[in-house]
Amino acid sequence: MTTQLRARRSCMAVPGSNQKFIDKARTLPVDQFFLDLEDACAPLAKPGARKTIVAALNEGGWGDKLRVVRVNDWTTEWTYRDVTEVVEGAGANLDAIMLPKVQTAEQVVALDLLMTQIEKATGLEVGRIGIEAQIENALGLINVNAIATASPRVETIIFGPADFMASINMKSLVVGEQPPGYDVGDAYHHILMSILMAARAHDKQAIDGPYLQIKDVDGYRRVAGRAAALGFDGKWVLHPGQIEAANEVFSPSQADYDHAENILDAYDWFTSEAGGKRGAAMLGDEMIDEASRKMALVISGKGRAAGMTRGERWTPPTD
Ligand code: GLV
Ligand code: MG
């Protein structure tokens, strides 16, 4: 399955030091979870959390959820031990390492090299474990294109709004909402689009970060809806109450999914010998061509990754 086809609509943050939350996360219908060694894990709890995380990954019970661990960023003293303990201890049961506060391509290369060493030393398949790069400050955003291409392991580019807002001195404490005083558009548009362009240019997934007002599910849905409308693939969830909204907002509607699959079938037929080798043709009242096929592929890819099943099917004309 290629990167693009692994659903990451809902990505659940789980503190790596909290066994209760880890056990709960196993039961939740998220596409991905990440066990956190960074900001949801107090400095004194980090050494113990590494062990808890290794045990939790090796115990299994995660179904087909993507299994990710967020390590600490390279400016701390914790990163190498986070990576070494987790990959050595549970590399076979891990899909990706999330690297926060990435600022340069070199930081991704450094992580790749360390992971490669561990894989070689322990007999793991080299390169299987991916990297998720979090963009959380101005330098990271400026370098996002180089970060996306720094290693073939990079699977996602993630927006970290809380750290980002702090790092650029944005005058607001409410993550995801517009800063008071800015009333001429969406203050996040440039950031989201820069991340999305880097992701799309290099076949990575673009993921939106957390929404902290966990009781405000309508607010979550609104902010997630904006990212989804632009083309993002998923968003973090911090609480079980946000999961349904994430899975729904980042899946195509049933009507759009059926329509996309029908465009693919119809275009396939119209361009064939039997269909008259046509490059442009009518599907009902709509003209479809190669560009329609490309748009349909995006919707159908997301629907298939989300496990959707088709409703009414288009069939070739019989006369
Ligand atoms: C997530 O890590 C954030 O800073 O928003
Ligand atoms: Mg952060």
Side-chain angles (χ1 to χ4, degrees):
M1 205 182 249
T2 71
T3 302
Q4 285 293 325
L5 293 179
R6 300 181 89 166
R8 278 185 168 99
R9 299 165 302 173
S10 46
C11 305
M12 177 145 231
V14 186
S17 53
N18 190 317
Q19 189 65 51
K20 201 175 105 212
F21 284 175
I22 293 174
D23 291 338
K24 174 82 183 162
R26 282 197 175 87
T27 68
L28 297 172
V30 290
D31 291 335
Q32 166 178 322
F33 64 88
F34 70 89
L35 303 175
D36 195 12
L37 282 167
E38 203 219 18
D39 286 355
C41 201
L44 289 177
K46 291 184 199 285
R50 292 182 189 128
K51 296 186 173 37
T52 307
I53 286 174
V54 167
L57 291 170
N58 289 338
E59 272 160 25
W62 296 101
D64 56 5
K65 302 186 221 325
L66 285 164
R67 303 155 298 177
V68 178
V69 172
R70 178 165 74 164
V71 297
N72 289 278
D73 81 273
W74 278 123
T75 65
T76 70
E77 68 271 38
W78 296 302
T79 321
Y80 84 99
R81 281 206 181 135
D82 291 346
V83 177
T84 309
E85 277 200 38
V86 169
V87 180
E88 276 189 3
N93 296 311
L94 177 67
D95 295 305
I97 293 282
M98 185 186 298
L99 185 63
K101 302 182 179 70
V102 182
Q103 306 193 59
T104 62
E106 287 74 17
Q107 294 185 328
V108 173
V109 173
L111 177 59
D112 183 322
L113 289 172
L114 181 54
M115 289 165 73
T116 302
Q117 284 269 299
I118 300 167
E119 287 164 341
K120 283 184 177 166
T122 57
L124 292 166
E125 181 187 335
V126 173
R128 188 194 59 82
I129 303 170
I131 292 177
E132 305 203 341
Q134 257 192 297
I135 301 298
E136 308 200 72
N137 52 43
L139 190 55
L141 192 69
I142 285 171
N143 288 327
V144 66
N145 195 51
I147 289 167
T149 53
S151 158
R153 292 184 196 259
V154 175
E155 295 182 7
T156 69
I157 314 287
I158 306 166
F159 176 39
D163 276 303
F164 203 102
M165 290 164 72
S167 89
I168 63 168
N169 295 0
M170 193 180 263
K171 276 173 75 181
S172 170
L173 283 171
V174 187
V175 170
E177 299 295 351
Q178 301 304 317
Y182 189 76
D183 58 3
V184 290
D186 178 358
Y188 303 96
H189 185 74
H190 169 74
I191 308 169
L192 290 172
M193 275 310 227
S194 301
I195 289 173
L196 184 63
M197 291 307 109
R200 289 293 166 265
H202 305 296
D203 200 21
K204 314 294 179 189
Q205 289 188 324
I207 306 295
D208 192 15
Y211 185 76
L212 304 184
Q213 320 304 120
I214 55 173
K215 299 233 162 89
D216 182 3
V217 178
D218 288 341
Y220 179 91
R221 196 178 278 278
R222 196 176 58 245
V223 174
R226 285 188 205 132
L230 289 179
F232 271 61
D233 299 288
K235 182 169 174 64
W236 284 15
V237 293
L238 303 182
H239 185 268
Q242 297 177 328
I243 298 172
E244 195 186 329
N247 286 343
E248 198 182 300
V249 165
F250 289 97
S251 299
S253 69
Q254 186 67 45
D256 281 352
Y257 176 64
D258 290 342
H259 188 49
E261 293 287 12
N262 284 341
I263 288 175
L264 294 179
D265 283 355
Y267 189 67
D268 200 37
W269 187 78
F270 282 122
T271 51
S272 73
E273 196 79 48
K277 295 186 276 188
R278 277 173 281 177
M282 293 303 287
L283 175 64
D285 292 339
E286 173 191 21
M287 177 164 285
I288 59 169
D289 65 4
E290 178 56 26
S292 323
R293 190 185 70 86
K294 290 203 177 80
M295 289 192 292
L297 272 177
V298 174
I299 307 284
S300 90
K302 288 195 178 194
R304 287 180 203 179
M308 294 177 78
T309 47
R310 287 180 72 171
E312 203 175 324
R313 281 171 190 259
W314 176 87
T315 47
T318 42
D319 50 18

